[in-house]
């Protein structure tokens, strides 16, 4: 009887159910793929928009660096007529000390800085004044080769000329420099670097840039803490950073303050600059915290080295 048995064809319901299972599987797979695609696109859009928001551009060129300064010569003249420290705002005491330092025939300062970021950057530098001849060197070492750089600058203030040499660090304290430098007039150099080497600081400390300041008396003199507007206070300084850090994008600051230690005659002894900023390097935004320490040697002579002589750093 087996040969007489016939197979019962599937009912309509059964015929419909079989393909439904296949459609459902394909739909689930499609939904998963669509979900993955949406998440991927969302992550990509979020990353790039986040990168743009992370480092919004600041138009520093809209500020006039000269108009942001106070009349420091007039302030110092007031101080000479009335040397009572209590007669001045705390930040004015810092300006008096800076101006007094700038008028010295001879002096030098050593600089050591470090930046806490993925690029792990350290800098060593020196500024020297011997009459009308000025010299500066900065060596910037980093785990990120894009910001490793070395710069030497020789300024003849009497003739209004500066020659700048670029190089690469050979260690944290020495560098190899190009044989040929770039010559600037005084005005060209200020436009390029933000300041003349005769200026004691690249930060602008004035009635227009200071957000708060505090003066404390110490055992040896005074301590002045100055907080700066994170844009107006660094309009000169960002140009210096571009040169010393080999930056094609200017940093954006969120916090800047400096503490000056002065002796009882308002001579500069030490300064410590604290900075928080964001900067884009090789297409990546870095969130940075930097501390720069400057040790001043008022009235002391330091022989300006030629291009074949290395600077001997103390710090």
């Amino acid at each position: 009887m087996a040969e007489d048995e016939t197979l019962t064809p599937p009912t309509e319901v059964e015929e419909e159910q079989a393909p439904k299972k296949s459609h459902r599987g394909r739909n689930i797979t499609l939904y998963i793929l669509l979900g993955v695609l949406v998440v991927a696109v969302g992550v990509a859009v979020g990353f790039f928009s986040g990168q743009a928001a992370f480092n919004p551009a600041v138009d520093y060129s809209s500020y006039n660096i000269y108009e942001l300064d106070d009349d420091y010569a007039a302030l110092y003249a007031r101080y000479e007529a009335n040397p009572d420290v209590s007669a001045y705002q705390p930040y004015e005491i810092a300006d008096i000390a800076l101006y007094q330092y700038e008028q010295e025939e001879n002096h030098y300062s050593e600089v050591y800085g470090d930046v806490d970021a993925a690029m792990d950057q350290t800098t060593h530098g020196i500024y020297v004044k011997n009459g009308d001849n000025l010299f500066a060197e900065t060596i910037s070492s980093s785990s990120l080769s894009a910001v490793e750089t070395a710069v030497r600058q020789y300024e003849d203030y009497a003739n209004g000329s500066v020659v700048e040499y670029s190089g690469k660090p050979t260690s944290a304290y020495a560098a190899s420099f190009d044989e040929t430098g770039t010559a600037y007039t005084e005005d060209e150099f200020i436009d390029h670097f933000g300041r003349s080497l005769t200026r004691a600081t690249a930060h602008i400390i004035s009635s227009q840039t200071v957000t708060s300041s505090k003066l404390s008396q110490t055992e040896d003199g005074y301590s002045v803490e100055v907080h700066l507007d994170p844009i107006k206070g660094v309009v000169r300084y960002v140009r210096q950073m571009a040169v010393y850090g080999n930056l094609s994008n200017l940093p954006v600051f969120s916090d800047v303050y400096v503490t000056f230690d002065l002796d009882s005659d308002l001579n500069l002894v030490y300064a410590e600059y604290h900075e928080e900023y964001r900067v884009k390097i090789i297409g990546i935004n870095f969130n940075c915290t930097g501390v720069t320490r400057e040790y001043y040697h008022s009235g002391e002579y330091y022989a300006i080295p030629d291009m074949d002589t290395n600077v001997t750093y103390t710090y």
Side-chain angles (χ1 to χ4, degrees):
M1 300 297 292
E3 62 270 25
D4 294 331
E5 290 180 356
T6 58
L7 295 174
T8 305
T11 64
E12 289 186 7
V13 174
E14 289 174 333
E15 289 176 344
E16 293 173 358
Q17 285 176 341
K20 275 187 177 177
K21 289 181 180 178
S22 176
H23 283 309
R24 184 180 297 117
R26 287 197 298 269
N27 288 342
I28 290 172
T29 303
L30 181 60
Y31 293 150
I32 291 173
L33 290 173
L34 285 173
V36 171
L37 180 61
V38 169
V39 170
V41 171
V43 169
V45 171
F47 174 79
F48 289 111
S49 64
Q51 288 283 294
F54 186 74
N55 194 32
V58 172
D59 183 12
Y60 294 106
S61 65
S62 64
Y63 295 91
N64 185 307
I65 59 175
Y66 301 101
E67 292 178 356
L68 287 172
D69 281 336
D70 285 339
D71 188 340
Y72 304 118
L75 172 63
Y76 192 73
R78 281 173 48 208
Y79 172 71
E80 287 186 308
N82 177 20
D84 180 4
V85 170
S86 65
Y88 305 91
Q89 295 293 325
Y91 74 86
E92 291 181 313
I93 298 301
D95 282 330
I96 290 167
L98 289 163
Y99 184 85
Q100 181 170 264
Y101 182 77
E102 292 166 355
Q103 306 316 303
E104 294 176 344
E105 183 71 12
N106 300 295
H107 63 230
Y108 74 97
S109 66
E110 289 187 66
V111 179
Y112 169 71
D114 58 82
V115 177
D116 180 14
M119 55 187 167
D120 187 26
Q121 184 180 18
T122 62
T123 58
H124 291 87
I126 190 168
Y127 296 98
V128 180
K129 179 185 179 185
N130 291 339
D132 286 332
N133 296 309
L134 299 104
F135 167 78
E137 176 183 89
T138 290
I139 298 171
S140 176
S141 304
S142 173
S143 57
L144 185 65
S145 61
V147 297
E148 279 204 314
T149 188
V151 177
R152 273 194 173 186
Q153 296 153 326
Y154 294 84
E155 179 171 356
D156 181 346
Y157 184 70
N159 292 321
S161 62
V162 182
V163 180
E164 180 177 279
Y165 296 86
S166 299
K168 278 291 184 182
T170 55
S171 73
Y173 300 94
S176 174
F177 292 94
D178 298 340
E179 292 184 2
T180 303
T182 301
Y184 297 92
T185 66
E186 185 79 7
D187 289 341
E188 289 171 342
F189 185 69
I190 293 172
D191 186 60
H192 161 69
F193 189 62
R195 62 168 173 138
S196 163
L197 296 181
T198 59
R199 189 182 176 101
T201 180
H203 293 72
I204 301 176
I205 300 173
S206 73
S207 56
Q208 298 183 69
T209 66
V210 172
T211 58
S212 67
S213 63
K214 180 175 67 174
L215 176 69
S216 304
Q217 192 153 10
T218 65
E219 186 176 325
D220 300 317
Y222 303 93
S223 176
V224 186
E225 183 175 291
V226 179
H227 290 254
L228 297 175
D229 181 280
I231 296 178
K232 291 186 289 186
V234 297
V235 171
R236 290 177 181 268
Y237 180 57
V238 292
R239 301 187 197 182
Q240 177 176 300
M241 289 184 72
V243 174
Y244 283 168
N246 195 28
L247 302 176
S248 56
N249 296 285
L250 296 179
V252 176
F253 286 79
S254 58
D255 188 36
V256 186
Y257 72 92
V258 56
T259 301
F260 295 99
D261 289 343
L262 317 174
D263 68 15
S264 57
D265 295 320
L266 303 192
N267 291 308
L268 287 169
V269 177
Y270 173 75
E272 191 168 290
Y273 295 84
H274 293 258
E275 303 157 352
E276 292 184 10
Y277 60 92
R278 296 169 179 171
V279 64
K280 182 178 286 187
I281 303 170
I282 58 172
I284 302 172
N285 280 300
F286 290 88
N287 196 20
C288 306
T289 300
V291 179
T292 301
R293 305 162 184 86
E294 187 161 8
Y295 304 83
Y296 299 93
H297 301 269
S298 293
E300 295 186 31
Y301 177 85
Y302 187 100
I304 293 176
D306 59 31
M307 288 300 297
D308 296 322
T309 305
N310 287 331
V311 172
T312 301
Y313 288 100
T314 306
Y315 304 98

